[in-house]
């Protein structure tokens, strides 16, 4: 699922009847003439004694839930109900219950389910009549949850996208019960209600309804983020061809009228609701802003500011749509009227990769630098989450549901850490909650709306808020360890609390825990420390001096203690032992020159654990090779430290496919019998000195060693892409041969400046070639090497319609990590198409040619060294015969519904590392599953 699709799921999320069903109605009336339904048989439904399906308990007290089986039959009926209760690795109860009901009289059979502790449970019930006919077989979920903190907490981070379609009374009860402190939107505040026609505004009766709704939320301990739910239906700018559009699809036609509506919506409610989101996802020339441009959005923000702030200076205006969008549009450098917001929005759908933390930190820094009030309103993560259909589609349903539950706490914790470290308030709204109704995007619903019962993520949410509300995040405990995240809190009682989880690794999927870091955490001074798993089950009671806990990817372990934060910190760091199945990240590296008798097999060894290690690295060379030594000690390697160890090659055999498999076997001191084994295929990645004519004979590439990367779809379709690179005094050359069944092209830039080149078939060339990244807002951060690194240069080659070859500058010093938008100011280093044609151009050469008969696209690019001045200086200063190291990677985009999507050089040989800005598009960049950071090495021969 694309990032663009994900960020569009919230189209109707700012609440209100006008938005209900706006993307896809869930149900339709039966067609005329449809065949009649069969005669009604018995009606049987399952429910629980508490309609929410949630049973709060104090500490470790048990709950005593009841299953309610309701039977209504047109004839007298008897039979049995077989039932069982299960929860992950346990089956705490079951039995058989007889029933007998009279004809036409509703009857409810109550089945006690036993005394149960905190967890998420499934009840499976099979109803059979006296003749042995099965009438119902169904599983429904319920949760025993820890009691959460009651009352309003305006500084809380814990929000929820609560849907207006659902039954408001019970939905609010659920939200209150699981510890939700923020909701997004006010259902009774709709643009058409506030301003039904030009110059006409709502009156006190409608305002009183809105105030009563807000007061009701407050009674449940929940604050409201006000939302301007797009547009008045009568004020929508028509589409590109004059066609009418829905209220969310385009900018306001009369911007002054829109501003007046916003003013009249906020003015009578500002004493109750100080924070207002101005528009949900205003994607320029996207699904909400089809003909408007970036300056229109900035104009709207400025006009609202100037209308509202003189009277209500304490009102906070929240704007933007994602971190990168805010950089591109709201804060576009040098553009007119930037920064007219008090806080910004991001939608971080997807797995809790560390890039979420990187982007949240970037968001805060941008707001503090460029907002008119230095970001006083903080950050609003108004939509984020995972869903079984999109994120865990290949797992069995119950395992997938727990996959969603596992991702909740890491997502919140990464965002909370960014806010704490940058001293900025942050609110986080999981998407979403509807008790009993479907809606657009309901794959993300934390309830099963058909059975009206909670999924495991509901219990995970309550566990998180129960243990972390009324706590202040102090620090991250393991800033150097890529395997582990630890979050230390100070509770309102002054006691230490914490959450720790092991991270996931991408190996082609983020679905399966087996790909991530697994192991144990042993606390050697555990007295007074109680531990709980991500669904609230108690793991240790604080009475033992030494405990060992299991760590699994994205499964938060919570710690509630009688200790001070400093003492708990010591117990989780100095007094802790981590034993992971993969304590070291082992990466055999590409060869940076053609193979000869001076070659070495280089292996990068990185300690990913929170503790220093002594290890021994052994290798198995490629078939037919010999090395001078097979084992190298690596002692005293610190957390986060990376070393390259070399194995001299004494004999080798070249492979015509340039693919060499290196095996490794690692042992670690003080872990008898432990072995970390694996293998990796490496290639010669080398740029010889060679003059190349773009569009010339293919023979000029004959002796340039190609590298290859393979793309395999879920259906098993495989494609191999080939790359070659060379250089001379004028250019760095790249040739890519990309097998592609269908060519997908954008209109030429001159025909449509809004089409992003990286969304069509394209090749991206990414470099990390600058040590001093003045525009990188995260440079120097303690977590920079762990997960925040960005590239310095990015170029995109694509074939536009009409056979026009284009080379775009996507990133370089002077571009501020922005994406090109036509109405933005020209940056010091311009974004967009470069001066590059096949035969001439001051910035390069480019030719993209298509061979439809052989379904092959050839990309030929010559980057002028002026585009990589720092690397050029190193290359030109190198001695003859020497090798200059370059950090370089490519990405292939095979667009279209039948295409392979994005394939990254960075993920080909080993799990990638999370970063911040890397491959485009920047609104979904840096995560392991989108290529991660660029750290792959090449050699440039002199």
């Amino acid at each position: 699922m694309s990032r663009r699709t994900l960020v569009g799921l919230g189209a109707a999320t700012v609440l209100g009847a006008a938005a209900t069903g706006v993307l896809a109605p869930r149900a339709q009336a039966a067609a005329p003439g449809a065949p009649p339904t069969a005669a009604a048989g018995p009606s049987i439904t399952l429910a629980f004694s508490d309609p929410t399906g949630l049973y709060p308990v104090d500490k470790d007290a048990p709950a005593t839930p009841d299953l309610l089986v309701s039977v209504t039959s047109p004839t007298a009926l008897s039979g049995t109900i077989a039932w069982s209760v299960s929860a992950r690795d346990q089956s705490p109860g079951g039995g058989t219950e007889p029933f007998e009901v009279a004809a036409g009289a509703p009857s409810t059979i109550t089945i006690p389910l036993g005394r149960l502790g905190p967890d998420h449970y499934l009840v499976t019930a099979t109803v059979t009549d006296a003749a042995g006919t099965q009438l119902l077989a169904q599983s429904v979920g319920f949760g025993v949850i820890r009691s959460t903190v009651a009352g309003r907490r305006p500084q809380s981070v814990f929000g929820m996208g609560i849907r207006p379609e659902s039954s408001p009374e019970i939905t609010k009860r659920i939200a209150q019960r699981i510890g939700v402190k923020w909701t997004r939107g006010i259902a009774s505040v709709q643009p058409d209600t506030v301003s039904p026609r030009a110059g006409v505004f709502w009156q006190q009766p409608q305002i009183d309804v809105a105030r009563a709704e807000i007061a009701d939320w407050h009674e449940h301990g929940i604050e409201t983020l006000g939302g301007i739910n797009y547009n008045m239906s009568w004020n929508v700018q028509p589409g590109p061809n004059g066609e009418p559009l829905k209220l969310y699809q385009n900018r306001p036609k009369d911007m002054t009228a829109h501003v007046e509506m916003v003013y009249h919506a906020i003015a009578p409610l500002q004493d109750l609701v100080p924070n207002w989101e101005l528009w949900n996802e205003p994607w320029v020339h996207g699904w909400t802003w089809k003909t408007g441009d970036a300056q229109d959005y900035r104009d709207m923000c400025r006009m609202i500011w100037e209308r509202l702030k003189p009277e209500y200076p304490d009102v906070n205006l929240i704007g933007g749509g994602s971190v990168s969008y805010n950089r591109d549009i709201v804060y576009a450098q040098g553009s007119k009227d930037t920064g007219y917001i008090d806080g910004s929005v991001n939608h971080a759908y997807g797995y809790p990769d560390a890039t979420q933390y990187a982007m949240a930190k970037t968001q805060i820094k941008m707001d503090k630098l460029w907002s008119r009030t230095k970001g006083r309103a903080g950050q609003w993560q108004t939509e984020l989450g995972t869903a079984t259909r999109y994120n865990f589609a290949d797992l069995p349903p119950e395992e997938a549901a727990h996959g969603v539950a596992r991702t909740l706490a890491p997502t919140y914790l990464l965002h909370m850490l960014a806010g704490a470290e940058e001293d900025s308030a942050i609110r986080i709204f999981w998407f979403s909650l509807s008790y009993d109704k479907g809606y657009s995007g309901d794959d993300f619903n934390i309830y099963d709306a058909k059975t009206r019962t909670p999924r495991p993520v509901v219990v995970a949410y309550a566990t998180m808020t129960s243990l972390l509300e009324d706590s202040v995040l102090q620090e991250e405990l393991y800033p150097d360890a890529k395997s582990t995240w630890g979050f230390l809190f100070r509770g309102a009682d002054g006691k230490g609390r914490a959450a720790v989880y092991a991270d996931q690794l991408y190996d082609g999927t983020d679905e399966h825990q087996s790909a991530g870091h697994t192991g144990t955490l042993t606390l050697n001074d555990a007295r007074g420390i109680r531990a709980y798993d991500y669904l609230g089950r108690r793991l240790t009671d604080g009475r033992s001096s030494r405990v060992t806990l299991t760590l699994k990817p994205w499964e938060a372990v919570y710690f509630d203690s009688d200790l001070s934060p400093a003492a708990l910190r010591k117990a989780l760091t100095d007094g802790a032992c981590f034993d992971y199945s993969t304590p070291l990240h082992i990466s055999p590296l590409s060869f940076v020159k053609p193979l000869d008798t001076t070659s070495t097999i280089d292996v990068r060894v990185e300690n990913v654990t929170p503790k220093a290690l002594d290890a021994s690295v052994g290798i198995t060379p490629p078939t037919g090779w010999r090395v001078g030594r097979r084992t190298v000690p690596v002692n005293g390697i610190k957390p986060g430290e990376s070393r390259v160890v070399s194995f001299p090659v004494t004999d080798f055999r070249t492979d015509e496919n340039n693919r060499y498999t290196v095996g490794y076997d690692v042992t670690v001191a003080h872990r008898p019998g432990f072995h970390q084994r694996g293998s990796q295929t490496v290639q010669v990645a080398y740029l010889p000195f060679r003059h190349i004519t773009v569009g010339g004979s293919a023979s000029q590439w004959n002796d340039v060693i190609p590298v290859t990367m393979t793309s395999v779809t879920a259906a098993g379709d495989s494609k191999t892409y080939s790359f070659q690179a060379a250089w001379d005094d004028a250019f760095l050359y790249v040739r890519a041969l990309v097998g592609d069944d269908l060519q997908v092209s954008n209109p030429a830039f001159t025909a449509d400046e809004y089409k992003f080149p990286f969304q069509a078939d394209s090749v991206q060339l990414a470099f990390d070639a600058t040590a001093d990244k003045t525009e990188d807002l995260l440079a120097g951060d303690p977590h920079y090497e762990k997960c925040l690194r960005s590239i310095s240069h990015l170029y995109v080659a694509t074939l536009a319609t009409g056979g026009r070859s284009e080379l775009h500058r996507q990133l370089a010093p002077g571009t501020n990590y922005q994406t090109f938008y036509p109405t933005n100011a020209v940056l010091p280093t311009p974004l967009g198409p470069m001066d590059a044609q096949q035969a001439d151009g001051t910035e390069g050469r480019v030719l993209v040619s298509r061979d439809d008969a052989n379904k092959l696209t050839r990309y030929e690019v010559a980057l002028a060294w002026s585009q990589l001045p720092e690397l050029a200086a190193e290359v030109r200063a190198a001695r003859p015969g020497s090798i200059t190291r370059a950090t370089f990677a490519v990405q292939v985009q095979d667009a279209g519904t039948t295409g392979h999507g994005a394939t990254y050089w960075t993920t080909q040989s080993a799990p990638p590392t999370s970063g911040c800005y890397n491959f485009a598009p920047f609104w979904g960049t840096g995560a392991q599953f989108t290529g991660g950071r660029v750290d792959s090495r090449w050699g440039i021969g002199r």
Side-chain angles (χ1 to χ4, degrees):
M1 186 179 192
S2 72
R3 170 68 177 157
R4 274 285 168 143
T5 303
L6 279 174
V7 297
L9 282 170
T13 310
V14 188
L15 289 185
T20 301
V22 76
L23 288 187
R26 291 285 300 176
Q28 297 179 351
T37 57
S43 171
I44 304 173
T45 60
L46 305 182
F48 294 101
S49 48
D50 189 307
T52 68
L54 298 175
Y55 296 87
V57 295
D58 290 326
K59 298 183 179 179
D60 297 302
T64 55
D66 295 329
L67 176 68
L68 307 181
V69 183
S70 298
V71 182
T72 303
S73 175
T75 60
L77 184 69
S78 63
T80 58
I81 304 167
W83 61 275
S84 63
V85 180
S86 61
R88 292 181 286 175
D89 57 354
Q90 59 174 324
S91 299
T96 302
E97 188 76 18
F99 71 90
E100 186 171 344
V101 299
S107 180
T108 299
I109 299 92
T110 300
I111 301 175
L113 299 177
R115 294 166 59 83
L116 302 171
D119 211 332
H120 181 268
Y121 298 88
L122 275 182
V123 177
T124 299
T126 303
V127 182
T128 306
D129 67 15
T133 301
Q134 187 180 103
L135 305 177
L136 176 75
Q138 187 178 31
S139 295
V140 289
F142 71 95
V144 179
I145 60 174
R146 298 190 170 277
S147 296
T148 57
V149 176
R152 295 170 63 183
R153 294 293 191 279
Q155 299 307 312
S156 176
V157 303
F158 298 119
M160 177 68 65
I162 302 174
R163 302 298 304 186
E165 298 90 343
S166 190
S167 303
E169 180 181 351
I170 198 162
T171 303
K172 288 174 181 174
R173 191 192 314 172
I174 292 167
Q176 180 182 37
R177 187 165 287 182
I178 65 176
V180 174
K181 298 303 179 186
W182 280 93
T183 186
R184 183 190 185 201
I186 304 163
S188 50
V189 180
Q190 298 300 321
D192 278 343
T193 303
V194 176
S195 181
R197 56 188 182 277
V200 176
F201 304 101
W202 62 346
Q203 300 300 307
Q204 199 60 47
Q206 294 97 338
I207 293 170
D208 288 344
V209 170
R211 292 182 68 86
E213 180 188 342
I214 297 163
D216 192 28
W217 284 114
H218 288 174
E219 284 294 314
H220 286 82
I222 298 172
E223 308 297 320
T224 52
L225 167 63
I228 304 303
N229 195 12
Y230 303 109
N231 213 336
M232 295 88 78
S233 58
W234 54 267
N235 195 37
V236 181
Q237 181 81 15
N241 300 311
E243 70 273 19
L245 296 174
K246 294 181 180 179
L247 57 86
Y248 62 88
Q249 289 182 308
N250 211 355
R251 57 150 287 171
K253 178 169 54 178
D254 182 339
M255 195 66 80
T256 299
H258 181 80
V259 170
E260 285 301 307
M261 179 273 294
V262 174
Y263 171 84
H264 283 275
I266 295 175
L269 305 177
Q270 48 78 33
D271 58 320
L272 298 177
V273 182
N275 302 291
W276 289 82
E277 185 179 0
L278 298 181
W279 192 286
N280 180 49
E281 295 184 1
W283 292 102
V284 173
H285 280 225
W287 66 273
T288 67
W289 208 262
K290 285 186 179 294
T291 65
D293 59 37
Q295 192 56 53
D296 290 331
Y297 181 75
R298 290 190 289 266
D299 289 345
M300 183 188 77
C301 294
R302 175 187 55 79
M303 292 171 68
I304 293 171
W305 184 285
E306 292 175 347
R307 180 68 176 93
L308 194 73
K309 289 286 189 174
E311 290 183 60
Y312 304 110
D314 294 332
V315 166
N316 290 317
L317 301 178
I318 315 302
S322 80
V323 174
S324 294
Y325 174 92
N326 301 341
R327 195 165 200 158
D328 294 341
I329 306 294
V330 181
Y331 298 133
Q333 294 302 286
S335 295
K336 180 184 175 185
D337 295 334
T338 60
Y340 279 94
I341 58 174
D342 299 287
S344 63
V345 168
N346 186 40
H347 291 172
Y349 283 106
Y351 302 110
D353 188 276
T355 194
Q356 291 188 343
Y357 164 68
M359 283 296 172
K361 294 203 84 165
T362 301
Q363 180 183 4
I364 298 169
K365 288 179 180 292
M366 291 194 304
D367 287 354
K368 288 189 172 186
L369 284 171
W370 302 322
S371 159
R372 298 281 162 164
T373 57
K374 306 305 179 187
R376 74 175 189 188
Q379 285 63 52
W380 300 79
Q381 315 302 308
T382 52
E383 293 178 35
L384 43 67
T386 55
T388 56
R389 175 183 172 191
Y390 300 126
N391 301 104
F392 299 97
D394 294 333
L395 299 185
E398 184 59 22
E399 190 176 341
H402 280 277
V404 172
R406 290 190 293 110
T407 61
L408 178 130
T411 298
Y412 274 80
L413 290 163
L414 290 170
H415 284 87
M416 292 164 69
L417 179 64
E421 290 182 339
E422 300 299 328
D423 191 25
S424 182
I426 193 165
R427 278 91 176 189
I428 307 158
F429 296 71
W430 192 261
F431 187 85
S432 52
L433 165 62
S434 177
Y435 173 65
D436 58 356
K437 298 292 190 306
Y439 54 94
S440 171
D442 62 3
D443 291 290
F444 290 84
N445 194 1
I446 65 175
Y447 260 69
D448 182 334
K450 293 179 181 178
T451 62
R452 304 180 182 184
T453 57
R455 292 175 166 139
V457 65
V458 179
V459 179
Y461 192 99
T463 302
M464 174 179 65
T465 63
S466 171
L467 292 163
L468 299 183
E469 187 65 270
D470 282 351
S471 296
V472 177
L473 181 53
Q474 305 289 291
E475 62 178 313
E476 206 269 299
L477 296 172
Y478 317 113
D480 299 315
K482 290 180 181 175
S483 64
T484 316
W485 289 87
F487 308 84
L488 181 68
F489 294 82
R490 177 183 292 275
D493 57 2
K495 302 294 178 61
R497 299 174 187 171
V500 173
Y501 70 87
D503 216 346
Q504 180 68 293
L505 286 173
Y506 179 78
D507 66 345
T509 176
D510 274 319
E511 294 192 48
H512 303 284
Q513 285 186 295
S514 59
H517 296 286
T518 59
T520 60
L521 163 61
T522 298
L523 302 184
N524 293 301
D525 189 6
R527 291 192 185 278
I529 302 173
R530 296 165 292 280
Y532 304 89
D533 73 6
Y534 72 106
L535 293 179
R537 187 190 300 179
R538 193 178 70 183
L539 304 174
T540 178
D541 60 10
R543 291 182 290 184
S544 299
S545 60
R546 189 173 188 270
V547 297
T548 297
L549 304 167
T550 299
L551 295 178
K552 295 181 180 179
W554 291 338
E555 287 194 10
V557 177
Y558 297 98
F559 299 91
D560 182 28
S561 80
D562 301 324
L563 312 177
S564 69
L568 180 57
R569 182 191 194 285
K570 184 176 181 181
L572 291 171
T573 54
D574 297 343
C577 177
F578 292 84
D579 285 328
Y580 279 113
S581 59
T582 52
L584 296 166
H585 186 185
I586 307 298
S587 299
L589 300 174
S590 54
F591 299 104
V592 293
K593 65 174 186 175
L595 298 172
D596 60 25
T597 55
T598 66
S599 294
T600 59
I601 296 175
D602 296 339
V603 179
R604 184 165 57 213
V605 181
E606 181 181 14
N607 180 5
V608 298
T609 77
K611 292 286 191 175
L613 295 174
D614 293 332
S616 179
V617 179
I619 67 162
T620 301
T623 301
W625 288 43
R626 289 187 297 176
V627 291
R629 54 179 177 175
R630 288 289 191 101
T631 304
V632 174
V634 184
N635 294 324
I637 186 168
K638 299 176 183 177
E641 183 183 355
S642 181
R643 298 182 193 172
V644 175
V645 295
S646 297
F647 299 82
V649 175
T650 59
D651 197 8
F652 65 92
R653 181 186 302 168
T654 57
D655 180 78
E656 63 180 4
N657 296 313
N658 188 24
R659 299 181 70 82
Y660 304 92
T661 300
V662 177
Y664 57 84
D665 184 349
V666 179
T667 58
V668 176
H670 311 299
R671 291 184 66 178
F674 171 82
H675 290 268
Q676 181 180 335
R677 297 186 175 99
S679 65
Q680 189 170 308
T681 299
V682 298
Q683 302 184 50
V684 175
Y686 173 70
L687 287 74
F689 187 88
R690 188 85 73 253
H691 175 69
I692 300 291
T693 299
V694 170
S697 170
S699 63
Q700 62 189 325
W701 290 95
N702 282 352
D703 60 349
V704 178
I705 302 171
V707 300
T708 56
M709 64 185 193
T710 302
S711 172
V712 182
T713 66
D717 178 33
S718 177
K719 292 184 184 298
T720 298
Y721 309 132
S722 173
F723 295 85
Q724 292 163 286
W727 71 284
D728 63 18
D729 289 330
F731 298 103
L732 184 151
Y733 302 98
V734 175
R735 183 175 82 143
L737 302 179
V738 176
D740 186 356
D741 293 339
L742 177 66
Q743 177 66 35
V744 177
S745 295
N746 284 336
F749 178 81
T750 52
D752 190 343
E753 296 178 295
Y754 283 96
K755 295 298 185 183
F756 298 118
F758 46 76
Q759 291 189 310
D761 286 342
S762 57
V763 167
Q764 297 186 35
L765 309 177
F767 299 85
D768 192 2
T770 306
D772 182 16
K773 302 189 184 85
T774 57
E775 294 156 320
D776 184 348
L777 301 180
L778 304 183
D781 189 281
H783 286 83
Y784 195 73
E785 290 302 321
K786 182 172 182 174
C787 60
L788 305 182
R789 179 176 288 279
S790 294
I791 57 173
S792 59
H793 298 74
L794 182 64
Y795 302 94
V796 186
T798 188
L799 179 63
T801 53
R804 185 183 181 93
S805 301
E806 294 181 349
L807 181 62
H808 290 249
R809 182 185 296 106
Q810 183 69 26
L811 170 65
T815 62
N816 194 40
Y817 290 92
Q818 290 178 206
T819 298
F820 176 83
Y821 285 87
T823 58
N824 285 354
V826 177
L827 293 166
T829 304
L831 289 166
M834 299 167 62
D835 182 16
Q837 295 81 43
Q838 177 182 344
D840 58 18
T842 61
E843 296 174 321
R845 308 282 188 270
V846 62
L847 176 63
V848 185
S849 53
R850 174 67 180 172
D851 180 349
D852 280 321
N854 293 303
K855 297 185 177 180
L856 181 74
T857 304
R858 178 181 288 103
Y859 295 82
E860 298 177 70
V861 175
L863 272 179
W865 280 116
S866 60
Q867 302 307 302
L868 298 165
E870 303 85 1
L871 183 58
E874 290 185 60
V875 170
R876 289 166 177 161
R879 298 187 309 275
S882 64
I883 300 294
T884 301
R885 299 287 177 86
T887 303
F888 168 48
V890 295
Q891 183 232 72
V892 171
Q893 175 65 29
D894 181 7
T897 55
T898 61
H900 279 225
T903 303
Y904 306 92
W905 172 255
T906 50
T907 66
Q908 285 294 294
S909 54
T913 298
S914 302
C916 190
Y917 286 98
N918 288 292
F919 295 103
F922 288 158
W923 58 79
T925 187
Q928 294 179 45
F929 56 89
T930 55
R933 80 188 217 185
V934 174
D935 57 5
S936 47
R937 72 176 192 173
W938 290 62
I940 303 177
R942 183 68 175 176

